Amino acid sequence: AERARLAASRGPGRTADGHPVKLLLNIGSAKDLRPGAEGVGLFRTEFLFLDRTGAPSFEEQVAAYAEVFEQAETVIVRTLDAGTDKPLPFLGLPAEPNPALGIRGLRVDRVLPDVLDTQLDAIAEAARATGTQAWVMAPMVTTVAEAGAFARRARERGIAKVGAMVEVPAAALRAGALLREVDFLSIGTNDLAQYTFAADRQHSELADLLDPRQPALLQLIGMCARAGREAGKPVGVCGEAAGDPLLAPLLAGLGVTSLSMAPVCVPAIREALAGLTLEECRRRAEEAVG
Ligand code: PEP
Ligand code: MG
């Protein structure tokens, strides 16, 4: 039993009956990398530039991305998620009355298309320079057309895998159609909860609405996972829910193929998955959705 416990304390994520669920890291820079996970599921690139007043150059971006690519197997780079809770002063975006519902994430591309072009060029160049396959995904994707346009621009540059984050209910409802445009989905439960329950993610009075155990949120996650299974494409979760040991088995039971979390959460999630069979995870998911 001790040997089984030790084996379960390292290696890939698996349920007790061996069903794989990839354990990935959420990072903001190379400094956050830790051993023990199977790659990076969310590289929040905006964290590199939060206090900048001038735009980061192409060369500076190549160096920052290459530093991560050199040290990790697979890395999913999220393009800049600026706006609302993460303003990027160098973009110089005007203040808005409803920033969470305004120009944020991929929507910045509507007003400043050069920013995404330069970032995609830099990601592609960093991948080439380090001999790795770059995976990229866009935050705040809302429509299938947005996902398709983003995928074309990434593929033009030879980026190997292109994904869309699911953070808006409209995207979850269209998961099957999104997966005809992109190679994978990554569910950002922090924002998906905010937009599903119309509750500011930083509002402590509304914490019960933002609880990812809410059946409506779990149902949306289940829809995405089902679409992924039908398309034969990965669908992961990279919001805080993925690092919660009570929720992780439930997410596996809903059918998600990877969980991406803060590095400190990895051991507890590995253990939580190893303690239950896939069938038990599915049962928990069914009970929670109700
Ligand atoms: C999310 O919204 O769940 C997510 C992972 O992105 P961020 O927390 O960076 O908005
Ligand atoms: Mg988000």
Side-chain angles (χ1 to χ4, degrees):
E2 182 58 12
R3 197 176 315 140
R5 206 188 62 77
L6 267 178
S9 73
R10 293 182 215 108
R14 296 197 181 285
T15 58
D17 55 331
H19 173 75
V21 181
K22 274 198 167 44
L23 302 177
L24 305 173
L25 300 178
N26 291 354
I27 64 165
S29 75
K31 284 198 289 293
D32 298 334
L33 286 167
R34 298 287 180 278
E38 297 164 71
V40 172
L42 171 62
F43 180 7
R44 288 181 163 112
T45 57
E46 65 280 357
F47 281 18
L48 295 165
F49 312 119
L50 282 179
D51 46 14
R52 293 283 301 258
T53 48
S57 68
F58 167 79
E59 289 77 15
E60 192 184 339
Q61 291 192 57
V62 173
Y65 308 145
E67 194 184 353
V68 175
F69 292 167
E70 273 161 4
Q71 296 176 60
E73 200 67 30
T74 7
V75 179
I76 301 179
V77 183
R78 174 173 73 185
T79 55
L80 292 175
D81 185 20
T84 183
D85 56 320
K86 289 169 292 194
L88 287 182
F90 79 82
L91 293 175
L93 292 169
E96 294 180 291
N98 289 308
L101 302 179
I103 303 295
R104 63 161 297 200
L106 182 60
R107 298 171 180 187
V108 172
D109 186 56
R110 293 163 184 252
V111 290
L112 298 169
D114 291 354
V115 173
L116 182 60
D117 282 333
T118 304
Q119 184 170 30
L120 290 174
D121 285 342
I123 294 165
E125 176 52 29
R128 244 187 317 272
T130 55
T132 50
Q133 281 213 339
W135 291 45
V136 298
M137 64 182 183
M140 270 304 272
V141 171
T142 306
T143 66
V144 174
E146 284 177 358
F150 176 76
R152 272 189 299 282
R153 277 162 72 189
R155 290 192 184 113
E156 265 169 25
R157 293 165 165 87
I159 288 171
K161 298 276 184 198
V162 185
M165 287 190 78
V166 176
E167 306 191 277
V168 177
L173 293 168
R174 300 290 289 153
L178 281 177
L179 283 168
R180 288 195 282 278
E181 301 290 344
V182 296
D183 305 303
F184 66 95
L185 298 178
S186 182
I187 305 170
T189 47
N190 310 331
D191 277 309
L192 187 58
Q194 158 164 269
Y195 294 119
T196 300
F197 300 105
D200 185 331
R201 61 187 268 183
Q202 293 173 317
H203 204 311
S204 55
E205 289 296 328
L206 302 176
D208 59 317
L209 290 176
L210 296 161
D211 186 335
R213 282 167 196 75
Q214 285 275 5
L217 190 76
L218 297 175
Q219 232 171 305
L220 288 173
I221 296 170
M223 285 176 61
C224 295
R226 205 170 315 121
R229 203 154 48 238
E230 282 163 11
K233 294 180 176 180
V235 173
V237 171
C238 66
E240 305 310 321
D244 176 334
L246 291 175
L247 266 164
L250 219 148
L251 297 171
L254 290 171
V256 309
T257 57
S258 67
L259 297 169
S260 193
M261 63 203 80
V264 293
C265 300
V266 173
I269 298 304
R270 183 183 280 117
E271 205 176 307
L273 289 173
L276 295 166
T277 64
L278 181 59
E279 199 44 48
E280 288 166 335
C281 293
R282 286 193 179 130
R283 214 170 310 132
R284 287 196 181 191
E286 276 163 27
E287 280 165 17
V289 173

